[in-house]
């Protein structure tokens, strides 16, 4: 049986878990109650009315958050020839060709994102079993298989995040740190949610957004009213 600490119990006394909040209200409350001894991340979880088992109902794309995530990602670039120098000049942390593919296949995992040029995918394609389960496999759909490696590196460093539904049709993404100003956190939440709404597959019928939750790393999750949230981001598009 789990035991809740004093800090967590104190948070529960301040929030109404039966209420559905607006995005602005949820951001303010979650930020206020992120009182752990470290700078907690705020995380947005969106439950969608899709069936991830069907290829035409996959929801996956990327977006550069207006104010970043507060976490600088370590970027790995798999490339050949001059593209390696281009990646290094753009700020990539790890750069290599076929030899780096071998290292990753052998277990190297000291990076947070992977970019690959199309001409190396013949050898890098076999990394799917290693990188796929970690959500790191380069893909043209997310802009991580590209010859424009400099732009890709800079976007990821600037706070580009990938959103995708998991097996339970839920997306999970960090949207900033509790130390961010509330207006910056709200802008990040709305930008991400707007992108998820726009990524609705044409094959999906009925309700698309079924639930939204915002929580900090060590805090409680607050429910956000889906219909109002969709209206809020649509009015600001």
């Amino acid at each position: 049986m789990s035991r809740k600490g004093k800090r967590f119990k104190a948070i529960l006394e301040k929030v109404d878990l039966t209420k559905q909040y607006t995005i602005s209200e949820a951001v303010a409350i979650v930020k206020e109650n992120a009182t752990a001894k470290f700078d907690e991340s705020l995380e947005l979880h969106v439950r969608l009315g899709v069936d991830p088992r069907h290829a035409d109902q996959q929801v996956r794309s990327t977006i550069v958050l207006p104010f970043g995530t507060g976490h600088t990602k370590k970027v790995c670039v798999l490339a050949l020839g001059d593209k390696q120098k281009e990646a290094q000049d753009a700020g990539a942390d790890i750069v290599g060709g076929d030899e780096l593919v071998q290292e990753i296949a052998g277990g190297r995992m000291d990076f947070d994102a992977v970019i690959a040029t199309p001409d190396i995918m013949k050898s890098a394609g076999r990394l799917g079993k290693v990188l796929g389960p970690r959500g790191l496999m380069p893909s043209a759909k997310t802009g991580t298989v590209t010859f424009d490696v400099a732009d890709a590196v800079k976007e990821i460093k600037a706070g580009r995040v990938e959103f995708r539904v998991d097996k339970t049709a839920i997306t999970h993404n960090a949207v900033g740190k509790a130390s961010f100003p509330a207006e910056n956190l709200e802008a990040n939440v709305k930008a991400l949610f707007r992108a998820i709404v726009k990524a609705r597959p044409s094959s999906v019928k009925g309700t698309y957004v079924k639930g939204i939750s915002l929580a900090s790393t060590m805090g409680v999750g607050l429910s956000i009213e889906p219909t109002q949230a969709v209206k809020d981001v649509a009015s600001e598009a």
Side-chain angles (χ1 to χ4, degrees), residues 9-201:
K9 288 180 179 179
I11 294 174
L12 289 175
E13 293 176 357
K14 297 178 182 179
V15 301
D16 183 355
L17 297 183
T18 66
K19 178 180 177 179
Q20 289 191 314
Y21 295 86
T22 64
I23 292 176
S24 180
E25 290 171 337
V27 167
I29 294 171
V30 172
K31 173 180 168 62
E32 179 186 355
N33 289 287
T35 57
K37 294 181 179 179
F38 63 94
D39 194 6
E40 298 181 54
S41 292
L42 267 65
E43 302 162 2
L44 184 70
H45 308 275
V46 183
R47 183 165 59 90
L48 301 174
V50 300
D51 187 343
R53 294 174 299 178
H54 299 297
D56 63 351
Q57 292 193 35
Q58 290 293 318
V59 177
R60 182 183 184 186
S61 189
T62 62
I63 180 176
V64 178
L65 296 180
F67 297 97
T69 62
H71 172 63
T72 301
K73 290 187 175 181
K74 191 172 184 180
V75 180
C76 170
V77 175
L78 302 172
L80 300 174
D82 293 341
K83 289 298 176 179
Q84 291 189 4
K85 185 176 187 307
E86 182 180 326
Q88 291 171 338
D89 291 344
D93 301 281
I94 303 170
V95 179
D98 292 324
E99 76 290 345
L100 182 54
V101 172
Q102 295 281 358
E103 291 178 24
I104 294 172
R108 182 174 182 177
M109 284 290 158
D110 56 336
F111 45 79
D112 305 302
V114 182
I115 298 167
T117 51
D119 56 356
I120 202 173
M121 285 304 293
K122 184 175 181 179
S123 60
R126 63 192 181 91
L127 296 177
K129 291 183 179 180
V130 178
L131 299 178
R134 295 174 171 81
L136 296 174
M137 187 63 190
S139 166
K141 289 183 178 180
T142 60
T144 49
V145 174
T146 176
F147 280 120
D148 296 325
V149 292
D151 287 343
V153 169
K154 289 174 183 177
E155 284 192 358
I156 291 175
K157 289 286 187 179
R160 186 174 80 178
V161 298
E162 176 185 350
F163 60 87
R164 63 186 299 181
V165 291
D166 62 12
K167 293 179 180 179
T168 61
I170 300 175
T171 63
H172 311 270
N173 288 95
V175 289
K177 295 288 188 177
S179 59
F180 284 18
E183 57 269 26
N184 292 6
L185 288 168
E186 183 176 343
N188 278 354
V189 170
K190 288 183 175 179
L192 174 60
F193 183 59
R194 184 181 297 110
I196 292 172
V197 171
K198 287 184 177 180
R200 174 176 180 153

Side-chain angles (χ1 to χ4, degrees), residues 20 44-49 169-171 193 196 207-214 222-227 229-230:
Q20 289 191 314
L44 184 70
H45 308 275
V46 183
R47 183 165 59 90
L48 301 174
I170 300 175
T171 63
F193 183 59
I196 292 172
T207 303
Y208 176 54
V209 179
K210 291 192 170 183
I212 313 170
S213 176
L214 184 70
L222 296 186
S223 178
I224 295 173
E225 207 289 308
T227 303
V230 171

